[in-house]
Amino acid sequence: MLNASIITIGDELLIGQTIDTNSAFIAQELNRIGIWVRRRVAVGDVYKDIWEALDEERKQSSLIIITGGLGPTADDITKPLLCKYFGGKMVTDPGVLEHVKYLFEKIYRRPGPILERNLRQADVPDVCTVLHNARGSAPGMWFEGPDDRVFISLPGVPHEMKGLIQDQVIPRLLTRFPLPAIVHRTAFTAGMGESMIAERLVDFEASLPPHIKLAYLPSYGMVRLRLTSQGPDRETVENELLPFFDQLKTFIQDVLVTDTDEGLEIVVGSILKGKGKTVATAESCTGGYIAHLLTSIPGSSAYYQGSVISYANEIKEKVLDVPHETLLAHGAVSEETVIAMAQHARKLLGTDYALATSGIMGPDGGSEEKPVGTVWIAVAGAEHTATLLLNLRFDRMRNIVQTAAQALNFLRKFILAHE
């Protein structure tokens, strides 16, 4: 298998100011075409460190992909460094120059003349193949090393990097290297922990051929089970893997959410759309996060109507008609309150179902009776209402994400139970 290294460049990555999402995206795209990412390295905007990273990674991998350091400012040193590293000289690429002028004159439309530093984006080493960046001014660059290594330099801006990977890099890699087919099949489970699932699958895992691997991927109370195999062609690999995947599903049928690698927001949306039903949300502690997940899916307007973010008790009373007496007697974080929130949200927004949340996300606000992490969830339909109590133990953001995941799964189970 072809090994790859990813080098990300930028001081902002090392101090935590920017989260490196580029490496994850590149690794996923490479894996799809049969390239294994062996190492991921982050270095700052330091000439010596970048040079040493290039030397080290060329010992480890046949493909080295670099992101960052291609902008127009003084700290963007990747391009001149690569020029020297591969023994070239800087030249102006006419195609890139034309593209830069087009962007600044027709797309960005910034007042005043184009700065010289922006025009210098068209300068590239004469020893590289230029990769057209349709989404920005910094071109990608493809270098062939004397030791048959391939180095690819891409902008650090995620939107631009993704376009180059998909439009330029992947097609070229497919013609440059003989690559195996890698096939994944993923089962998405909820309601059972990783270790308990592993206990169920001891004999199944032992029966797998050596080249078929089972991975456990836990996240926010859910566990993805991924079977992976590889071979010379996709059809052969898929035909071999499918019976094992079908067998895997028989061991986890009671906790299986879906047998495709997709999020709960997609699963719930598909169920609602398939049944011609609609849902609304009434969110307190999650602050609209569930609405964000549902509306991140194209076409969600077919089944998602809207949300009331009733963070304050006054909004719970005035908009969602939660009785003042209920709040006084039981508090905002209570089963009685989320029932009222869900039932009134369903009527207010005219939907078949409504999902409500109220809880204490932390780090403050808890009490002995209701500690941080106490969350109530309710789902209301025309004839039934159900509730779920969570006792979470994480930081604020993870509590919110965990609540959203549990709430969507609770909604999924409610719909299927009362169809």
Side-chain angles (χ1 to χ4, degrees), residues 116-350:
E116 180 64 26
R117 69 173 62 244
N118 295 124
L119 293 175
R120 284 202 300 270
Q121 292 282 75
D123 293 347
V124 297
D126 62 352
V127 289
C128 79
T129 298
V130 173
L131 306 178
H132 175 59
N133 179 7
R135 301 180 180 184
S137 58
M141 296 173 290
W142 178 296
F143 299 87
E144 297 269 354
D147 49 4
D148 206 33
R149 269 31 180 179
V150 170
F151 292 74
I152 303 170
S153 177
L154 304 173
V157 180
H159 175 66
E160 297 180 24
M161 176 277 299
K162 290 178 181 179
L164 277 160
I165 285 286
Q166 294 170 334
D167 299 337
Q168 298 284 333
V169 174
I170 296 299
R172 288 174 182 269
L173 290 174
L174 288 171
T175 59
R176 174 64 173 76
F177 296 103
L179 298 172
I182 296 180
V183 177
H184 303 293
R185 285 292 177 269
T186 304
F188 186 7
T189 70
M192 182 176 290
E194 177 186 8
S195 15
M196 291 194 68
I197 293 176
E199 281 295 313
R200 282 193 184 186
L201 299 178
V202 169
D203 292 337
F204 168 76
E205 197 166 358
S207 72
L208 292 173
H211 60 283
I212 297 180
K213 306 297 182 183
L214 173 62
Y216 297 81
L217 309 169
S219 176
Y220 299 114
M222 319 294 168
V223 180
R224 282 179 168 86
L225 302 171
R226 188 186 66 210
L227 279 182
T228 301
S229 186
Q230 61 176 290
D233 67 273
R234 178 166 291 274
E235 184 177 0
T236 300
V237 177
E238 286 181 340
N239 288 339
E240 182 193 24
L241 192 62
L242 186 58
F244 289 102
F245 187 59
D246 288 339
Q247 185 181 358
L248 168 67
K249 290 189 290 184
T250 64
F251 291 103
I252 54 167
Q253 197 61 47
D254 57 325
V255 292
L256 182 66
V257 174
T258 178
D259 60 2
T260 55
D261 191 8
E262 56 190 16
L264 272 166
E265 61 274 18
I266 298 176
V267 175
V268 169
S270 297
I271 294 172
L272 288 164
K273 192 171 183 179
K275 296 181 179 301
K277 302 293 185 180
T278 57
V279 69
T281 51
E283 301 185 57
S284 182
C285 60
T286 45
Y289 189 75
I290 298 172
H292 154 71
L293 292 175
L294 289 169
T295 56
S296 68
I297 307 305
S300 55
S301 59
Y303 50 82
Y304 183 71
Q305 295 292 83
S307 177
V308 176
I309 304 175
S310 54
Y311 208 65
N313 283 354
E314 292 80 3
I315 304 302
K316 292 180 177 69
E317 290 187 48
K318 294 177 182 178
V319 179
L320 292 177
D321 290 333
V322 177
H324 182 71
E325 295 76 16
T326 297
L327 292 168
L328 283 178
H330 304 286
V333 182
S334 65
E335 182 176 31
E336 292 79 5
T337 294
V338 289
I339 288 174
M341 288 171 63
Q343 291 177 343
H344 290 295
R346 192 185 75 81
K347 295 174 183 176
L348 176 67
L349 296 171

Side-chain angles (χ1 to χ4, degrees), residues 387-399:
T387 60
L388 175 67
L389 173 63
L390 303 180
N391 294 289
L392 305 177
R393 52 183 175 81
F394 310 110
D395 60 71
R396 183 178 182 82
M397 192 62 228
R398 187 166 181 182
N399 282 340

